[in-house]
Amino acid sequence: MQKRTEKIVLKIEKLAVLIILFFGNYLQAQTSIINVESRNSLSLNGDWQVILDPTNIGEWKQVWLEKKTQKKTDFVEYSFDGGPVLKVPGDFNSQLRELTYFEGVVWYKKVFNYNPNNEKRLFLHFGAVNYSAAVYLNGEKIGSHEGGFTPFEFEITNKVKNGANSLIVKVDNKRLENGLPGTGYDWLNYGGITRDVNLIETNKTFIEDYSVQFKKGSLKKVSGWIQLNGTNKKQKLKIKIPELNKSYKTESNDIGYANVEFDSNLKLWSPENPKLYKIIIESETDTVTDTIGFRSIEVQGNKVLLNKKEIFFKGVNIHEENPYKGTRAYSKQDALVLLNAAKELGCNLVRLAHYPHNENIIKEAEKMGLMVWSELPIYQHIQFSDSLVQIKMETMLKEMVHRDKNRCGVVIWSLSNETYPGTSNRNNALIALTQKCRALDSTRLITHVVNTQSYKDNFFKVWDTIYEYSDLICINEYIGWYDPWQGKPSEVKWDFAYPDKPVFISEFGGEAVYGNNAGPSDEAAYWTEGYQEQIYKDQIELFKTIPNLCGISPWLLFDYKSLGRMNQVYQKGYNRKGLLSEKGEKKKAWYIMEQYYKRK
Ligand code: GCB
């Protein structure tokens, strides 16, 4: 009897998932036009009117209908008129004092003018909205999206009006038990329309997507595909590389798809020479221009090879925050603040933690010769046994890979950070996700980051079985901060369950307040620069003991806002593990790292 009930419950669950797939949010806005920069677009950035809605009553009041008074006895609550205005793109927390720590609903409104043209199609594209968005055009819901760090779009060709159009977006950054990330994380939950909003006008049939990169392991063969969207699916296509006088021809099939494969004589992209080529992709009805670099990245035995040569990742962790402004970072200028500091430290890789960052930083990093580690927000406590969570994981994976697959700078897809082996269904869910990632993109390294290792009596045991599916053994360890040293750093002994893989120390460090040199520098409780400096010195000794070490990345570049960091004397709402303060001042540990990277 119990079995039967279980079966019925399972069936109902499956049915629910299917219903959600059909009618819900997850497939609606899964893929979006890539390379927005090169499209015919109209920016909807700028001032948007807003309504703050801490109790979510706007849903009941149907804000999107923008009700107006008809007779003398009518009145309207929840109107945008007379309310505040916020900048898009931008987080809302830093723009209005009352939103500083806000986690909830803000309604946004923008009016735009448009003259529809029968020969064109129109898409409404969002770079990212944190965390969920419900989008209404002229009073009608056109769709929704969940996930704060990836793009989505809706076709509005048949919905847009001639003249003024009213666009309303319900933004909600409330934490969800079954969200990605879940309810607990160590960074500020910046909400809002945090990246660009664009109207993209295309021809009836257009180049929706393409992949142009080296074939796995090759330094000559370019391989990929082009996908058209529209009714005129069979077209003659070209990929041109003007600098090489190259014009590769192919044709799309009945479903608008064409394979791409050709030999080339391309100069390789590398940190020393970040060579990028102008690439023109042409169909009979569309042209898209991109800037693409070519390199190979692979693991051979216990080494990582970039362009067939061993590479050591000199990394640093970065959150998507402009420390000087105390805002979510999104622009090219914000990217340069972060990347110039990473360059100055001597890095060749940035770990963009813990969610997919904006496209600007990825493109700028690529231009500067910085390799990129891109990560999904599958962070610590995730409800892996919830079937919806598994759908969300896959959707976010697709959206991340979809947007950045042509960026040679991206060398690592990191699928999770510090999840716990004891969490129900964790392994199954992460293994399935890894397999999906490999099927989408087999050319980059795929990794998981773990911190639940045992360090006892100066003996470090690395045992998590998820490493079996990871190209790298990525370890977060905070010896000297959360875990006291158990012996000499230079005498740590290691035991790896998977001893033949390259090892990456993806986080280490400790906290210090810049300029704080008062108090004993051998006691953590005083937050001194000296204590942090010693952790770095000891860690460098520890690195020498690690077999197969292929890279490191300290936690982290700048001090950053985090509400869980409330030591009132030292932290004041900041995680102080930065090598730089939020004002860009160099702590003593900075120089230790800089010297280490010079020697490496
Ligand atoms: C970690 C997390 C990172 C935290 C950091 C810390 O292990 O991955 O997100 O912020 O520790 O400062 O404790």
Side-chain angles (χ1 to χ4, degrees):
M1 180 63 190
Q2 202 193 338
K3 277 233 157 102
R4 239 192 101 203
T5 328
E6 267 172 25
K7 268 190 183 166
I8 294 170
V9 170
L10 262 177
K11 274 192 181 156
I12 293 173
E13 251 185 38
K14 274 192 183 156
L15 196 70
V17 169
L18 282 177
I19 291 170
I20 286 158
L21 282 174
F22 271 104
F23 303 109
N25 307 333
Y26 305 108
L27 287 187
Q28 271 190 27
Q30 204 170 81
T31 56
S32 57
I33 293 174
I34 59 162
N35 190 3
V36 175
E37 236 182 358
S38 158
R39 312 287 179 155
N40 180 20
S41 61
L42 174 74
S43 170
L44 297 185
N45 290 348
D47 289 346
W48 288 54
Q49 292 174 277
V50 296
I51 300 173
L52 317 188
D53 188 12
T55 53
N56 194 17
I57 289 183
E59 190 66 40
W60 172 54
K61 298 276 177 186
Q62 298 177 297
V63 167
W64 57 92
L65 296 180
E66 296 189 81
K67 291 176 192 151
K68 301 276 176 282
T69 54
Q70 310 287 338
K71 42 188 195 313
K72 281 188 176 172
T73 50
D74 285 351
F75 59 87
V76 177
E77 291 177 300
Y78 280 77
S79 154
F80 287 93
D81 297 339
V85 164
L86 293 179
K87 291 270 180 238
V88 168
D91 65 84
F92 55 57
N93 311 73
S94 64
Q95 297 191 56
L96 273 184
R97 207 176 159 71
E98 56 268 49
L99 293 179
T100 308
Y101 302 125
F102 187 72
E103 298 194 346
V105 175
V106 174
W107 297 85
Y108 282 71
K109 175 184 167 182
K110 181 90 176 168
V111 176
F112 64 88
N113 283 308
Y114 189 70
N115 300 111
N117 172 340
N118 280 341
E119 296 310 307
K120 302 285 182 192
R121 293 169 68 185
L122 193 68
F123 295 84
L124 173 62
H125 184 280
F126 293 84
V129 173
N130 191 34
Y131 172 77
S132 62
V135 182
Y136 299 84
L137 184 66
N138 302 322
E140 185 195 342
K141 184 165 183 182
I142 56 172
S144 52
H145 180 262
E146 181 176 337
F149 305 98
T150 42
F152 58 96
E153 77 190 10
F154 307 100
E155 178 161 12
I156 54 170
T157 311
N158 300 323
K159 300 193 187 311
V160 69
K161 286 193 311 201
N162 191 20
N165 286 267
S166 177
L167 174 63
I168 291 179
V169 185
K170 177 186 177 185
V171 178
D172 192 350
N173 72 334
K174 197 169 45 292
R175 298 173 195 228
L176 301 177
E177 293 282 346
N178 67 354
L180 297 175
T183 50
Y185 42 91
D186 184 21
W187 63 88
L188 195 103
N189 180 14
Y190 288 110
I193 305 181
T194 50
R195 297 186 191 156
D196 298 323
V197 186
N198 279 292
L199 289 172
I200 304 174
E201 199 180 62
T202 70
N203 282 336
K204 289 276 177 206
T205 302
F206 66 96
I207 300 168
E208 181 177 54
D209 198 5
Y210 52 87
S211 168
V212 182
Q213 287 280 282
F214 273 149
K215 196 181 178 105
K216 175 88 185 162
S218 175
L219 296 180
K220 279 212 156 318
K221 206 168 266 318
V222 173
S223 120
W225 44 266
I226 300 172
Q227 178 68 57
L228 302 182
N229 178 323
T231 42
N232 183 6
K233 294 232 161 56
K234 287 179 95 154
Q235 294 198 25
K236 289 194 172 49
L237 306 170
K238 272 188 202 154
I239 296 187
K240 292 184 188 164
I241 311 177
E243 200 177 321
L244 299 183
N245 252 329
K246 173 99 191 165
S247 180
Y248 166 79
K249 296 191 181 75
T250 182
E251 274 178 41
S252 51
N253 62 15
D254 295 342
I255 56 163
Y257 178 88
N259 249 323
V260 168
E261 188 146 315
F262 59 88
D263 282 327
S264 67
N265 230 338
L266 293 153
K267 287 203 183 96
L268 304 177
W269 181 97
S270 68
E272 299 74 40
N273 180 24
K275 173 72 190 153
L276 299 172
Y277 287 90
K278 179 175 178 187
I279 307 282
I280 304 169
I281 299 143
E282 254 178 40
S283 76
E284 292 162 39
T285 56
D286 197 11
T287 302
V288 181
T289 305
D290 206 337
T291 311
I292 296 183
F294 298 85
R295 53 93 194 104
S296 73
I297 185 84
E298 60 204 308
V299 165
Q300 240 176 50
N302 53 26
K303 308 231 171 329
V304 177
L305 308 184
L306 176 78
N307 299 329
K308 307 286 174 196
K309 287 188 212 118
E310 185 177 355
I311 181 116
F312 186 82
F313 291 122
K314 302 190 235 179
V316 72
N317 282 287
I318 293 181
H319 259 301
E320 196 182 36
E321 179 172 288
N322 181 325
Y324 301 112
K325 296 195 287 183
T327 62
R328 177 61 88 212
Y330 66 85
S331 66
K332 206 164 153 171
Q333 290 73 15
D334 292 341
L336 291 178
V337 164
L338 300 165
L339 298 176
N340 283 337
K343 265 290 202 201
E344 197 186 332
L345 187 64
C347 296
N348 62 14
L349 174 124
V350 283
R351 176 178 179 222
L352 302 182
H354 286 298
Y355 36 78
H357 287 213
N358 64 84
E359 275 185 279
N360 289 318
I361 194 165
I362 289 174
K363 288 187 179 170
E364 291 308 307
E366 191 168 273
K367 282 190 214 156
M368 292 165 77
L370 285 165
M371 292 176 276
V372 171
W373 160 316
S374 193
E375 188 158 294
L376 288 177
I378 299 179
Y379 180 94
Q380 297 185 353
H381 291 284
I382 296 292
Q383 295 197 340
F384 289 107
S385 45
D386 181 329
S387 47
L388 272 183
V389 168
Q390 293 167 44
I391 296 172
K392 293 178 196 184
M393 282 166 44
E394 191 180 342
T395 304
M396 277 189 211
L397 169 74
K398 282 183 181 161
E399 290 174 347
M400 174 176 80
V401 174
H402 173 72
R403 191 193 73 181
D404 291 336
K405 60 186 168 296
N406 292 311
R407 303 280 71 83
C408 70
V410 178
V411 293
I412 297 173
W413 299 126
S414 169
L415 304 187
S416 67
N417 180 71
E418 299 187 352
T419 60
Y420 306 110
T423 309
S424 156
N425 201 41
R426 182 205 70 161
N427 275 15
N428 287 341
L430 288 184
I431 292 167
L433 192 71
T434 314
Q435 284 158 349
K436 280 170 190 148
C437 187
R438 276 196 210 289
L440 284 174
D441 178 9
S442 62
T443 68
R444 290 173 173 87
L445 310 185
I446 298 175
T447 200
H448 296 275
V449 178
V450 181
N451 73 332
T452 40
Q453 309 304 324
S454 59
Y455 173 60
K456 217 174 154 227
D457 302 331
N458 228 17
F459 192 83
F460 208 113
K461 200 169 159 58
V462 182
W463 51 270
D464 197 312
T465 51
I466 201 64
Y467 283 136
E468 192 181 331
Y469 304 87
S470 189
D471 289 323
L472 307 173
I473 306 283
C474 290
I475 303 169
N476 290 353
E477 51 84 7
Y478 284 88
I479 313 180
W481 186 249
Y482 296 124
D483 296 313
W485 290 101
Q486 308 271 308
K488 280 193 181 162
S490 58
E491 289 173 6
V492 174
K493 298 275 175 298
W494 294 83
D495 176 10
F496 286 97
Y498 304 93
D500 300 327
K501 296 191 180 201
V503 176
F504 191 121
I505 301 296
S506 34
E507 288 180 31
F508 64 95
E511 303 210 14
V513 176
Y514 169 75
N516 176 19
N517 296 305
S521 65
D522 60 347
E523 286 187 42
Y526 292 88
W527 257 262
T528 61
E529 282 194 55
Y531 195 86
Q532 188 194 36
E533 181 188 31
Q534 191 57 44
I535 293 177
Y536 275 75
K537 285 183 180 163
D538 291 341
Q539 283 284 338
I540 287 172
E541 289 307 305
L542 168 89
F543 299 153
K544 293 180 194 156
T545 67
I546 305 176
N548 311 341
L549 187 69
C550 73
I552 60 163
S553 61
W555 187 262
L556 81 172
L557 190 55
F558 283 95
D559 287 355
Y560 68 99
K561 291 187 186 183
S562 179
L563 299 187
R565 303 293 178 173
M566 285 301 174
N567 178 306
Q568 316 254 18
V569 181
Y570 301 113
Q571 292 178 306
K572 300 179 178 165
Y574 278 85
N575 182 318
R576 298 259 172 230
K577 295 195 189 69
L579 292 166
L580 300 167
S581 73
E582 76 278 20
K583 298 196 182 86
E585 296 141 325
K586 292 178 177 137
K587 302 183 196 171
K588 288 184 174 161
W590 164 281
Y591 299 101
I592 305 298
M593 255 345 277
E594 192 186 22
Q595 286 306 319
Y596 178 73
Y597 280 161
K598 270 203 186 115
R599 292 197 299 275
K600 268 288 174 188

